Amino acid sequence: MISNKLIAIDFGSTSISAMAAEVLENGAVKILSEESKISDDVRWGIVEKPSGASFKVSELLKLLKNSARMHDISQVSVSVGAKSMKQISTSVSRFVGKPNVVTDNLLAEMLDECEHKSKQSDITVFDVIPVSYVLDGKTMDDPVGQTATQITATYHVVFGSSIIKSELERCFDRTGIVLEYSPLSIEALSTVVLEEQEREVGCALINFGATTTTLAVYHDGILQNLLVVPLGARNITKDIQELGINETNAERLKCLKGFALESLVDEPMYIQIASVEDGNPPVKISTKFLATIIEDR
């Protein structure tokens, strides 16, 4: 892959998408092309059908080569965010015994120790985020070069089921493409939608997917809490389908006339939609009742 060109792939529950971008000399990112294919190979952020997903990835990369005018694609990046992923805090201490200078190597060793102690047979650690360091009772963000007799580091560890990683790797083993980088999907999203000031003073970032909803809390510029639950927009669509309409119409009704809260519906109206049962009269739905369904979910 050309050094200043990047390929990112998103494994969604409704589609798999691939994007080619170029990093310009001024640091700006120029989108070269984007391709997408409808997919049922991913559920709750986990690749459930590696064979089908790998085929679609191969097809998408062929399309990108043509549309983005790239001769070769050998490496890609894929963000990770699936059910069961969460975050915990943990600490690692080193007793120096006598005054010593804190080095980058020492901090790297402590981070590795934190990751190792968090691992289990069925758990994969996806990220270890340094939060703070305490040197002889004094808290600081960057202790390198400081002298201390004791250092304690606090980390936020993001982990989840090992299936998330293993099934993703199985998918790429079939393509021959190298999975170069796997950032947390919510972290990648935060760089796009959040200002640095918002991350500093504190905010909540919510990503509504088709089968998962992700909550991330930021403060002091750091991801402070993460939770991924197996509920998403598709659950709302399925609820609306229970009114007697098909999935396509339920999705359109949700997107065009839906409100998250019933109180937001200022001018209620009735909408007629074809019944899913042949021969039955159209289903008459109030936008106020529609909002109630969405709000309950």
Side-chain angles (χ1 to χ4, degrees), residues 236-245 250 293:
I236 296 175
T237 302
K238 293 294 184 183
D239 290 345
I240 298 172
Q241 276 186 260
E242 294 298 319
L243 297 175
I245 60 178
I293 295 174

Side-chain angles (χ1 to χ4, degrees), residues 49-67:
K49 303 174 184 177
S51 178
S54 64
F55 175 78
K56 292 180 179 67
V57 167
S58 297
E59 291 297 303
L60 287 170
L61 295 182
K62 289 178 183 177
L63 292 172
L64 275 187
K65 284 183 183 181
N66 182 54
S67 59

Side-chain angles (χ1 to χ4, degrees), residues 175-294:
T175 65
I177 301 296
V178 175
L179 183 55
E180 178 187 27
Y181 182 46
S182 298
L184 297 178
S185 58
I186 199 69
E187 285 277 67
L189 180 63
S190 73
T191 63
V192 178
V193 302
L194 294 181
E195 299 289 345
E196 189 59 36
Q197 183 183 8
E198 293 173 317
R199 294 167 62 100
E200 285 290 338
V201 300
C203 67
L205 176 60
I206 302 176
N207 181 25
F208 294 101
T211 58
T212 61
T213 298
T214 303
L215 166 66
V217 177
Y218 287 90
H219 190 248
D220 293 334
I222 297 173
L223 178 64
Q224 300 287 351
N225 209 342
L226 173 72
L227 181 65
V228 184
V229 295
L231 293 172
R234 184 174 291 173
N235 297 93
I236 296 175
T237 302
K238 293 294 184 183
D239 290 345
I240 298 172
Q241 276 186 260
E242 294 298 319
L243 297 175
I245 60 178
N246 64 33
E247 183 175 0
T248 300
N249 285 336
E251 179 70 15
R252 290 188 63 199
L253 180 62
K254 178 187 70 177
C255 294
L256 296 176
K257 297 296 181 180
F259 285 88
L261 300 173
E262 181 186 0
S263 60
L264 297 178
V265 183
D266 295 327
E267 299 180 3
M269 66 174 68
Y270 282 90
I271 301 171
Q272 286 196 157
I273 301 178
S275 172
V276 72
E277 297 290 342
D278 292 337
N280 283 2
V283 178
K284 194 175 183 181
I285 303 170
S286 164
T287 53
K288 201 166 186 64
F289 183 58
L290 174 65
T292 301
I293 295 174
I294 298 174

Side-chain angles (χ1 to χ4, degrees), residues 33-211:
S33 183
E34 189 271 337
E35 303 288 347
S36 184
K37 283 187 174 292
I38 295 175
S39 170
D40 63 351
D41 305 303
V42 181
R43 190 181 184 193
W44 297 320
I46 301 171
V47 179
E48 291 194 333
K49 303 174 184 177
S51 178
S54 64
F55 175 78
K56 292 180 179 67
V57 167
S58 297
E59 291 297 303
L60 287 170
L61 295 182
K62 289 178 183 177
L63 292 172
L64 275 187
K65 284 183 183 181
N66 182 54
S67 59
R69 299 180 181 179
M70 300 179 69
H71 299 295
D72 181 53
I73 297 176
S74 59
Q75 299 178 335
V76 300
S77 296
V78 178
S79 61
V80 180
K83 74 169 185 177
S84 83
M85 289 181 65
K86 59 185 65 176
Q87 178 179 294
I88 61 171
S89 294
T90 187
S91 297
V92 173
S93 295
R94 290 292 178 91
F95 294 87
V96 181
K98 61 180 181 179
N100 276 311
V101 177
V102 178
T103 64
D104 286 320
N105 287 338
L106 174 62
L107 298 186
E109 291 175 5
M110 295 176 70
L111 190 145
D112 288 341
E113 180 182 336
C114 175
E115 181 174 353
H116 181 74
K117 69 186 288 189
S118 301
K119 287 183 177 179
Q120 300 179 31
S121 59
D122 57 343
I123 293 295
T124 293
V125 175
F126 292 96
D127 202 1
V128 179
I129 306 168
V131 178
S132 64
Y133 301 94
V134 177
L135 275 66
D136 296 337
K138 183 179 180 180
T139 302
M140 58 184 66
D141 295 327
D142 185 8
V144 175
Q146 300 293 322
T147 301
T149 57
Q150 179 181 348
I151 178 173
T152 299
T154 300
Y155 304 92
H156 287 164
V157 181
V158 179
F159 65 94
S161 170
S162 296
I163 295 176
I164 301 170
K165 182 180 179 182
S166 64
E167 294 305 285
L168 186 62
E169 290 176 342
R170 282 183 62 197
C171 172
F172 281 95
D173 285 344
R174 297 168 181 263
T175 65
I177 301 296
V178 175
L179 183 55
E180 178 187 27
Y181 182 46
S182 298
L184 297 178
S185 58
I186 199 69
E187 285 277 67
L189 180 63
S190 73
T191 63
V192 178
V193 302
L194 294 181
E195 299 289 345
E196 189 59 36
Q197 183 183 8
E198 293 173 317
R199 294 167 62 100
E200 285 290 338
V201 300
C203 67
L205 176 60
I206 302 176
N207 181 25
F208 294 101
T211 58

